[in-house]
Amino acid sequence: MTTSASVPTEPEDAITTGGSVTDRLVEANHRYAGAFTDPGMDARPVLHVAVVACMDARLDLHAALGLELGDCHTIRNAGGVVTDDVIRSLTISQRALGTRSVVLIHHTGCGLESLTEDFRHDLEMEVGQRPAWAVEAFRDVEQDVRQSMQRVRTSPFLLHADDVRGFVFDVTTGLLREIDPA
């Protein structure tokens, strides 16, 4: 198992121009802010949709879905699984900010397919404390999309559970494949 304690903090091939990666991001923000103009947008998504997806760096959701700034709420986590915190975010998105549709996106080749709950045990052995959260690992991406759709559809906190659709994004073709909830 590899946890943060066993991963080198600065690989030899890390980008070191201009300091740390975070320093580079802050510098990029300064360039961005120099040309930034307030778009005058509200926090409410124009398309009234919330997208829940995996945090995988290969997924450029806005490009893949043809979205522009302000179109949607984007909620990302490892695996794109619907956890209690995702339900919290979706509840706020719907009840306070007017979203009505939920799109769930998992993807091929997800790292959660190779993990198990043993990850939590190993982490506990390493740091001396068991995480309160579940790994939410899965073997079948389609089944996990179905489970996520079910969690959204049955949440008592969500006002709009009738327009919930789930997809698997193919990281090699860029195509979405819709998953039948049944």
Side-chain angles (χ1 to χ4, degrees), residues 84-147:
D84 286 345
D85 193 59
V86 168
I87 293 294
R88 178 188 71 85
S89 293
L90 287 173
T91 301
I92 293 167
S93 178
Q94 287 189 357
R95 290 180 176 265
L97 297 166
T99 60
R100 302 182 63 83
S101 301
V102 178
V103 174
L104 305 169
I105 301 177
H106 285 34
H107 66 90
T108 58
C110 184
L112 281 187
E113 292 175 295
S114 62
L115 288 178
T116 67
E117 288 299 317
D118 287 341
F119 181 85
R120 290 175 68 216
H121 173 73
D122 294 344
L123 196 54
E124 179 183 14
M125 293 296 100
E126 181 181 329
V127 302
Q129 182 177 343
R130 187 167 184 84
W133 39 263
V135 174
E136 295 277 355
F138 53 86
R139 295 278 180 246
D140 182 337
V141 68
E142 291 184 15
Q143 183 56 35
D144 202 65
V145 170
R146 286 186 195 95
Q147 177 177 294

Side-chain angles (χ1 to χ4, degrees), residues 25-76:
L25 297 176
V26 171
E27 289 171 19
N29 173 257
H30 286 287
R31 289 189 300 277
Y32 170 79
F36 184 79
T37 56
D38 180 1
M41 294 178 175
D42 188 283
R44 297 172 182 268
V46 172
L47 299 179
H48 306 287
V49 63
V51 178
V52 178
C54 185
M55 65 186 193
D56 191 294
R58 297 172 289 181
L59 278 67
D60 182 349
L61 293 175
H62 276 75
L65 300 174
L67 296 168
E68 299 293 331
L69 182 66
D71 282 348
C72 72
H73 283 158
T74 306
I75 304 161
R76 295 181 79 156

